[in-house]
Amino acid sequence: MAEISKKRIITTGLIGGTIFSVIVTLFDYFFGRGFSWPRLLFYFIFGCLMYGFLTYRNFKKHNKKS
């Protein structure tokens, strides 16, 4: 059984969180909510945690099948 790579989980979480926060911030800006640094920080942290968690679950699921 292959080991779950923490480096890949962290990297995927950071990339996914960055993309998520940029897209949601752009939607907020275009729909008239304006730009806010605290909101951007919240989106980034939330996105990183969620993408990291989902990547971890995906790796774990694929390791059980092996």
Side-chain angles (χ1 to χ4, degrees):
M1 190 180 302
E3 185 177 316
I4 298 174
S5 173
K6 291 179 185 175
K7 184 178 178 182
R8 285 182 65 189
I9 293 172
I10 292 171
T11 304
T12 305
L14 288 173
I15 292 171
T18 302
I19 293 170
F20 172 78
S21 63
V22 168
I23 290 172
V24 174
T25 301
L26 286 174
F27 271 100
D28 280 351
Y29 182 76
F30 289 134
F31 287 124
R33 286 184 73 187
F35 179 79
S36 170
W37 283 106
R39 196 176 324 134
L40 176 66
L41 181 64
F42 171 75
Y43 289 150
F44 178 73
I45 292 172
F46 177 76
C48 288
L49 289 175
M50 290 308 298
Y51 275 95
F53 175 70
L54 292 173
T55 303
Y56 172 76
R57 281 189 55 216
N58 191 24
F59 282 157
K60 200 169 184 179
K61 185 172 101 176
H62 285 291
N63 279 343
K64 283 186 179 180
K65 288 183 180 181
S66 299

